[in-house]
């Protein structure tokens, strides 16, 4: 907490979501209530890269109403990035520049909106600021459709993506059931190492939708077993509905398919295409009608049917964090979402416990011996996707905020 007026620095990082901009709107709306302590909200253009290039948006909090349309706007409005900071012990160049900019713009509050790797960036920056006796509150806003951030009930973006996946699977099912004999439909869902998003489709079974096979990264995948099951199911029914994570791996923990061997700055393979790969195997080996459906970017870019829980809490969490920061120093913390007795509440978790760690689905929701999703997961998903949001539109098109 600072007595003199200071500035907030805000950035977006990693894969965009349908509610990441709502997190910012909640922050700037709350900032306007603290004009005695906050001067400007400074937004990085393309995350850490923008900061290093001093490519910044400087916004007066009193103009927050101009950003209301961000509630309807998908993507990262201020630009995202996947820039990996080296450890300052190895190379101090970036950190010296960051400290210089923090001082130049009197930045005393740093909010970074992202996933595991973004939390690592906050941790590194916070350590360097402390090393140089520069006082700044550093806060992580959890965001990832993969839902793989530990220490929080869910990550912002996941509920809306799960809702999109579930309804997409439902529509593919209804389309195929229009015919006496349909296809083998293989629907590919995002999820590198964790199957939260893919597994969300399980709730459709409670509504009479028969998903025949669900494959998650948490379970090993065997191609021969897959073909045998598809052969048996389609031969009996004339229909076969499969939902699969892009990151499924074989018994040796190797991806069963990857588009290329290149990796990004964070040592991640570029994924996508496993549904097409398996569809070709079905065609070649079984000669069944088959369709590969890769939901791809739509599952994170959809803003026409967001989760009410997701959209509402994304705003409230940012507001909560800034209120707390105005009362006391909060360093190197990520906003934590807790659920208890049908209510959500916010608190904080140390970023050191979150950075570079993955929250995979565990025995709480998976039966590893049977390779099945437990019924308790249905209850979890249902509470995250329930409720509707009236997305404002103009002439049939989402009324988004254009750049």
């Amino acid at each position: 907490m600072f007595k003199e007026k200071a500035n907030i620095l805000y950035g977006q990082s990693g894969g965009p979501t349908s509610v990441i901009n709502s997190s910012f709107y909640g922050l700037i709306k709350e900032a306007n209530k603290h004009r005695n302590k906050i001067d400007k909200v400074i937004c990085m253009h393309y995350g850490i890269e923008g900061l290093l290039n001093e490519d910044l948006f400087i916004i007066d909090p009193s103009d927050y109403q101009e950003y209301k349309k961000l509630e309807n706007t998908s993507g990262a409005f201020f630009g995202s990035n996947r820039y990996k900071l080296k450890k300052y012990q190895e190379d101090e160049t970036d950190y010296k520049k960051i400290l210089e900019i923090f001082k130049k713009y009197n930045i005393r509050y740093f909010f970074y909106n992202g996933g595991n790797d973004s939390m690592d960036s906050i941790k590194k920056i916070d350590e360097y600021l402390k090393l140089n006796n520069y006082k700044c509150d550093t806060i992580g806003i959890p965001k990832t459709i993969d839902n793989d951030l530990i220490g929080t009930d869910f990550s912002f973006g996941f509920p809306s993506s799960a809702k999109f996946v579930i309804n997409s699977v439902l529509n593919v099912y209804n389309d195929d059931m229009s015919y006496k004999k349909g296809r083998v439909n293989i629907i590919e869902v995002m999820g590198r190492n964790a199957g939260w998003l893919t597994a969300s489709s399980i709730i459709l079974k409670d509504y009479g939708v028969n998903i025949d096979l669900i494959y998650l990264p948490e379970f090993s995948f065997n191609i021969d077993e897959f073909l045998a099951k598809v052969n048996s199911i389609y031969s009996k029914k004339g229909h076969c509905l499969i939902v699969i994570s892009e990151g499924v791996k074989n018994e040796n923990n190797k991806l069963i398919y990857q588009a290329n061997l290149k990796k990004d700055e964070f040592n991640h393979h570029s994924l996508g295409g496993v549904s097409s790969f398996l569809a070709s195997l079905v065609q070649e080996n079984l000669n069944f009608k088959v369709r590969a459906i890769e939901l791809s970017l739509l599952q994170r870019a959809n803003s026409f049917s967001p989760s009410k829980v997701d959209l509402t809490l994304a705003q409230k969490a940012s507001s909560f964090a800034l209120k707390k920061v105005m009362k006391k120093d909060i360093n190197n913390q990520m906003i934590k979402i807790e659920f208890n007795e049908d209510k959500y509440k916010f608190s904080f978790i140390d970023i050191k416990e979150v950075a570079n760690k993955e929250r995979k689905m565990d025995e709480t929701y998976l039966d590893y011996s049977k390779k099945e999703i437990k019924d308790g997961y249905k209850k979890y998903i249902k509470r995250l996707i329930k409720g509707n949001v009236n997305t404002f539109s103009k002439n049939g098109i989402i009324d988004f905020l254009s750049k």
Side-chain angles (χ1 to χ4, degrees), residues 227-338:
L227 290 172
K229 288 179 179 179
V230 170
N231 187 27
S232 175
I233 292 166
Y234 188 78
S235 297
K236 290 176 183 176
K237 296 168 47 180
H239 301 273
C240 184
L241 180 58
I242 302 159
V243 186
I244 187 167
S245 294
E246 62 183 0
V248 289
K249 301 171 183 67
N250 61 23
E251 293 90 339
N252 298 316
N253 202 35
K254 300 292 184 182
L255 291 165
I256 66 165
Y257 178 82
Q258 57 192 57
N260 59 65
L261 297 176
K262 291 184 178 180
K263 295 182 179 181
D264 64 16
E265 294 88 342
F266 293 92
N267 204 35
H268 298 154
H269 283 291
S270 175
L271 299 183
V274 69
S275 57
S276 295
F277 168 69
L278 293 175
S280 66
L281 292 181
V282 170
Q283 180 65 50
E284 292 168 11
N285 292 274
L286 304 175
N287 198 30
F288 294 154
K289 291 171 62 177
V290 60
R291 179 70 61 88
I293 303 162
E294 188 176 344
L295 297 183
S296 191
L297 300 181
L298 285 173
Q299 59 207 294
R300 76 183 193 197
N302 142 62
S303 65
F304 47 81
S305 182
S307 154
K308 187 174 183 179
V309 169
D310 203 13
L311 188 67
T312 303
L313 295 187
Q315 284 191 33
K316 288 184 176 180
S318 300
S319 175
F320 160 84
L322 187 53
K323 284 178 185 175
K324 293 295 183 183
V325 166
M326 291 296 99
K327 293 179 180 178
K328 64 177 182 179
D329 294 340
I330 298 176
N331 303 110
N332 208 34
Q333 300 289 306
M334 184 187 82
I335 302 168
K336 175 180 178 179
I337 309 155
E338 298 177 88

Side-chain angles (χ1 to χ4, degrees), residues 208-220:
V209 176
N210 188 17
I211 302 176
D212 297 293
L213 300 168
I214 298 177
Y215 291 103
L216 313 176
E218 284 83 354
F219 300 142
S220 62

Side-chain angles (χ1 to χ4, degrees), residues 87-103:
K87 293 180 180 179
Y88 67 84
Q89 295 93 335
E90 299 171 2
D91 187 347
E92 225 176 329
T93 307
D94 284 348
Y95 296 93
K96 286 181 177 179
K97 180 66 175 177
I98 289 170
L99 179 58
E100 176 189 320
I101 293 171
F102 271 51
K103 289 179 177 179

Side-chain angles (χ1 to χ4, degrees), residues 13-14 46-50 52-53 80-86 91 93-94 98 112 117-118 120-121 124 265-266:
S13 180
Y46 302 114
I48 296 296
E49 278 187 283
L52 292 170
N53 293 323
S80 187
N81 79 116
R82 295 187 185 278
Y83 187 85
K84 185 176 178 64
L85 286 168
K86 296 178 182 178
D91 187 347
T93 307
D94 284 348
I98 289 170
Y112 208 29
D117 298 325
S118 305
D120 179 60
S121 295
K124 289 174 177 174
E265 294 88 342
F266 293 92

